[in-house]
Structure formats: structure tokens, C-alpha cells
Amino acid sequence: MADLPPRRWLVRGLLGAIVVSLLLFSGVLTLSYEEPTLETDVTESAPEGDTVVASQGWNARNVSLPGRPARLVSVNQSGAVEWTHDGPNGTDNWFYDVDPLPNGNLLVVNPIQGNTVVYEYDPRTQKRVWTERFDLVDIHDVDLINGDELLVAGINYDEDRPSRDRVFVYNRTTDDVTWKWLFKNHYPADADKGVRTEDWTHVNDVDAVRDGEFLVSVRNMDQVISINRSTKDIELRLGADDDHETLYEQHNPTYLESENGTPTILVADSENDRIVEYARVGGPPGEGKWKRTWTLTGDLNWPRDADRLPNGNTLVVDSMNHRVIEVTPAGEVVWEMDAPWATYDAERVAHGDEPGGPTITDQHASGNVTLHGGSETGVAGAPTIPSVVRGVVAKTPLPAGITGLAESWRRVSPWFKPTWMPIWAFSIVVVCLGVLLIWGVGEGVYQRRRIQRRVAGSLGNVRYRLERGR
């Protein structure tokens, strides 16, 4: 060590000081962080009745990580939790879509143990009224239509049955699939980088809209389509594969109509971290163009649901911020509820499924608005990682793609970071571990000859002792 130049020691000391300082800063951030809990934060406006929330949770191979529960939660107008429901098998499941039914019960979508269970749940008795099971492992949305039909968004994960992605209608009375629509018959084989044996389209939402039409979210194709049940033709299409300016792997679109009959779609534009509303203008159906009439941005992290309420506000599921918020057309948060973990769907029970409030155009509130008025997410006052990276990249020759990596990191890291640690603190620890790894590799390369001599000497001593012991 004595023959190393002083400069090497200075570099080591500087690296060590940086790592220790960053780790101390990470600890301070963690101590100041309040982990999301099941509670109501902002109540500037009393909700019009109870709100039911479905949280996806996290589990893999039937193992659920601590602090990441999958459950249904109902809160009343005052924000008090009325009940929670963990599902029929406790922790080894997911929750996706939940729909209020006219009789006051809920239609629940619950993937579990290699299948998807769909059931009508009575919150008063906390029992299932009926149950259906589908041999699809990850159905996200099922709607009850015409009294006894289940409209299903069928994601295929079966490697042995390629191009099985479909929308279908199952009749509970006859126990039969009475209608189906296969994506392979309507999309080119090279869509979304080619047909895959599993999860080709990731169709994640389907709703009965207008007269005999189904609104479908084709997530992996970055588009929302409307299918005519009788002709099986695509009547409307918003977005296109890889057109990320319009939509980017969206969730749970809602069909609205303005007072003059203009088709309008409100959608959680998930990968773009925004809520958008588009109106079909400039011509008759099939000939017009989509115009974005409203954009809500701000501190949203992978939103996955947006419903227009009768009062004109929008109920938004801010999924990876683990909360549900009610937002005015101007972007003000007037009601907020924390609901960890990975919220997926939220409904105001009194309004039923897809309440269909007024369009933004009818409210004369079109434009781009920024979310404000809610509680701080993450560490209070701290900017998001993507915003910091974006600012750094803009002033350097670094490629713009680095911002995309930062956005992906912000979305993915919560799935495996400790729930008690904010994303900034966790990211700092990961960076420090990376620095230590690179430092260790560098030391190994720099001192490889010395290491080789010591290893050779150690092996020689072992060989000598073995020979003496014979």
C-alpha cells in the first residue's frame, strides 16, 4: 500500500466521503418520510356517497410482500373506512376492476392461483352471491351486461395457445361463450413488434357503450377502440401503436358524449403520467379527427383510472402514489385518500359503474392544467427523479433517452423497494452500491498483479503444508 501514489489515496478518500455523505442523506430522507397508510388526507369537498377502491397489491408465486396488500376498501363521505375485503384466499391474489351494481353489491375481478375469479360481493353480509372462474390468469376487467352476461377483456398468458388475446361475452345462464372477438383477426401480425404467444395486446379494459358497442383498451398497442358487437367492425380508434404523443400504454378509458353528441374519451394515459380527454371533431363517425381537449399533469405516477363525476370533477387513481384523488377541471385536488398498495380502480358507489359526467368541453374548461392542492407524495418538497434528470440532461450532451430510464425507474422501483423508504433514499442507496461495485472492480484491475502474487503465495503455503503433512 505504501508504494501507491498520494493521488490514489485522495481519490479513494473523495469516493469514500461521497458514499458516506450520500448514505447519511438517504438516512435523513428515510427518517422524514411518512409511509402511506389507509386514510383520507384532503377533504375540501365531501364526496357524493361512499367510495370503493381496489388495490392491486403485490404477490409473486403466491407470496405477498409485507406492506403491499391486495384488497378492496370502502370509505364513507367523512373519509372513515367502513370495511375492507382481502379476497377469498387472503394474500395470494390480486384485485383489479370493481363495479358497483344496481342492487348495491359489487362485481369484483380477482386473479388468483392461475385463474381469474369473478364474483358478486355483498358488502353488507361480506359474502359472495355467485362466483365464476375463467382459465385466464390475469383478466383485468369484466363487466356485467344484460343481466346475465359477462363482458370479458381476455389477456392471454398461455404460451401453448398463441394469438388468444380476445374480448368475449360469457352467458352465466347458459354457461357458454356467446360472442368473441379475436385480435389476430383485426391486427397485423407485426403489431407491437410481432405476435407473441403471451400478453400480445394486454387488453386491460372493456365497457359496453352506446348501442351495441364495446369500448376496449388495447394497452400494448397504445390505443382505445370501439367494437361493433353485430358487425365486429372497429367503429372508433384513438391512438396508434407507438404513437406515444397521443397515448402510451393507457388504462381504463371512459366513453362520454357532449351535449351535441360529440364522442369523447377520458383516459388514464399511464406511461405518460397524465389524464387526457379527447373529442372526435371535424366530421361524421369514421371521418373526424381526435382533438385533445384536456390534459392533467403534475405529480402523478402511473395513473390507471379516471372517471368523470356528475359534478364535473374527475376521480383519478394515482396508482404508484397509492392514492385516489378527486380533481376539479382546473386541476385542484378537493378530495384525497391514501390506499396502499398499487391502487387500480375507484368508484363512487352512488353513481354506479362509469358515471359519465359532463365533458370538459361542455364545462368550458378545455386546456392543460397542473395538479395542485393535494398532499405531498414522497418526501415533502422534493422534485421527482425524472424532473431532476430531465433538467440535467437538457444542459449536457447526455442522450435524452436517459430521462426515459429515469421515468421507468420511478415507476418500477416501488415494486421492490422497502415500503418505509422513499424512492429518493432508495435510489441513493442503489447509486452508492453501484459506486462501491465499480470502485471494487477498479481496485481489482489496478492491483491485479499484487492480488495474483498474494493468491499464488497463499496457494503455495497451502501446498507446502499439505506436502509436509503426508
Side-chain angles (χ1 to χ4, degrees):
M1 302 293 285
D3 58 346
L4 289 175
R7 190 186 313 171
R8 175 65 58 180
W9 285 102
L10 290 175
V11 172
R12 285 173 171 168
L14 179 61
L15 284 174
I18 291 174
V19 168
V20 171
S21 298
L22 287 175
L23 290 176
L24 288 174
F25 183 53
S26 175
V28 171
L29 292 178
T30 300
L31 291 174
S32 65
Y33 176 65
E34 293 185 8
E35 181 179 347
T37 57
L38 187 59
E39 61 182 344
T40 301
D41 288 331
V42 178
T43 54
E44 296 294 330
S45 175
E48 312 93 335
D50 297 348
T51 305
V52 63
V53 180
S55 290
Q56 178 181 343
W58 194 101
N59 75 79
R61 300 184 183 276
N62 297 331
V63 176
S64 182
L65 291 184
R68 294 171 171 85
R71 61 188 172 188
L72 300 181
V73 177
S74 177
V75 296
N76 60 26
Q77 290 175 284
S78 65
V81 175
E82 291 191 317
W83 54 262
T84 61
H85 173 59
D86 296 328
N89 283 59
T91 60
D92 56 343
N93 61 158
W94 309 89
F95 281 111
Y96 288 120
D97 185 55
V98 56
D99 294 337
L101 299 176
N103 61 4
N105 293 344
L106 301 170
L107 183 68
V108 180
V109 178
N110 182 213
I112 183 172
Q113 295 180 342
N115 295 279
T116 296
V117 174
V118 180
Y119 55 92
E120 180 180 342
Y121 177 70
D122 186 342
R124 295 170 291 270
T125 64
Q126 298 187 3
K127 294 182 179 179
R128 286 181 283 173
V129 178
W130 53 260
T131 302
E132 299 288 352
R133 185 180 294 269
F134 296 98
D135 66 341
L136 294 168
V137 302
D138 200 36
I139 293 174
H140 284 42
D141 188 28
V142 176
D143 279 11
L144 182 65
I145 60 174
N146 303 323
D148 63 350
E149 291 183 322
L150 295 177
L151 177 60
V152 182
I155 302 176
N156 174 49
Y157 281 94
D158 190 342
E159 296 182 357
D160 298 324
R161 304 175 71 176
S163 304
R164 198 184 174 204
D165 299 66
R166 64 201 187 277
V167 176
F168 64 93
V169 174
Y170 169 78
N171 189 295
R172 295 192 60 246
T173 301
T174 62
D175 188 24
D176 190 27
V177 173
T178 58
W179 182 90
K180 65 180 177 181
W181 192 90
L182 298 173
F183 283 90
K184 68 177 182 179
N185 295 335
H186 301 269
Y187 280 80
D190 61 350
D192 190 44
K193 304 175 180 63
V195 177
R196 295 182 296 204
T197 57
E198 58 176 334
D199 197 20
W200 177 37
T201 64
H202 200 91
V203 51
N204 60 19
D205 189 68
V206 59
D207 298 311
V209 299
R210 298 203 291 190
D211 184 16
E213 288 188 27
F214 300 144
L215 189 72
V216 178
S217 172
V218 195
R219 194 200 73 171
N220 284 355
M221 312 298 189
D222 308 308
Q223 58 193 261
V224 176
I225 61 174
S226 175
I227 303 169
N228 186 302
R229 180 171 182 173
S230 298
T231 65
K232 295 190 175 182
D233 292 335
I234 296 176
E235 300 287 349
L236 294 173
R237 189 193 305 268
L238 168 63
D241 193 16
D242 293 330
D243 175 18
H244 296 163
E245 290 296 318
T246 303
L247 294 174
Y248 190 5
E249 296 192 356
Q250 72 290 328
H251 287 76
N252 292 335
T254 298
Y255 180 81
L256 307 170
E257 279 191 2
S258 64
E259 294 174 351
N260 63 6
T262 300
T264 303
I265 294 177
L266 171 69
V267 58
D269 191 8
S270 305
E271 292 291 330
N272 282 326
D273 290 328
R274 64 186 185 182
I275 306 298
V276 290
E277 184 168 318
Y278 287 89
R280 187 77 171 177
V281 297
E287 298 181 13
K289 295 183 179 180
W290 291 103
K291 176 184 178 181
R292 191 191 306 163
T293 55
W294 190 61
T295 305
L296 174 67
T297 57
D299 192 14
L300 294 170
N301 191 354
W302 204 41
R304 290 195 289 176
D305 189 29
D307 292 339
R308 181 60 42 74
L309 301 174
N311 64 4
N313 294 343
T314 306
L315 191 66
V316 175
V317 170
D318 189 8
S319 188
M320 292 318 293
N321 281 328
H322 316 296
R323 63 176 180 167
V324 179
I325 53 178
E326 181 180 337
V327 184
T328 68
E332 181 185 0
V333 176
V334 294
W335 183 86
E336 178 178 4
M337 173 192 173
D338 289 338
W341 198 86
T343 46
Y344 186 85
D345 190 18
E347 303 288 347
R348 285 279 159 78
V349 178
H351 305 316
D353 185 31
E354 307 298 341
T359 67
I360 284 293
T361 300
D362 287 343
Q363 298 183 71
H364 308 289
S366 299
N368 301 327
V369 299
T370 302
L371 195 68
H372 62 278
S375 65
E376 298 281 357
T377 60
V379 178
T384 65
I385 291 176
S387 65
V388 172
V389 172
R390 190 178 298 111
V392 171
V393 169
K395 300 176 182 178
T396 67
L398 293 171
I402 293 178
T403 300
L405 293 176
E407 291 171 348
S408 298
W409 171 255
R410 180 180 181 233
R411 191 165 299 113
V412 172
S413 60
W415 294 92
F416 52 86
K417 77 173 183 65
T419 57
W420 44 264
M421 179 179 272
I423 187 171
W424 266 113
F426 181 70
S427 301
I428 289 171
V429 171
V430 171
V431 169
C432 288
L433 291 176
V435 170
L436 291 174
L437 178 62
I438 295 172
W439 186 359
V441 171
E443 289 284 1
V445 171
Y446 182 81
Q447 300 199 56
R448 60 187 181 279
R449 292 188 178 86
R450 180 170 297 179
I451 293 173
Q452 289 172 354
R453 289 196 299 268
R454 290 188 176 181
V455 170
S458 298
L459 291 175
N461 290 334
V462 171
R463 189 182 303 112
Y464 174 74
R465 291 173 182 173
L466 289 174
E467 290 175 351
R468 287 192 61 183
R470 289 179 180 175

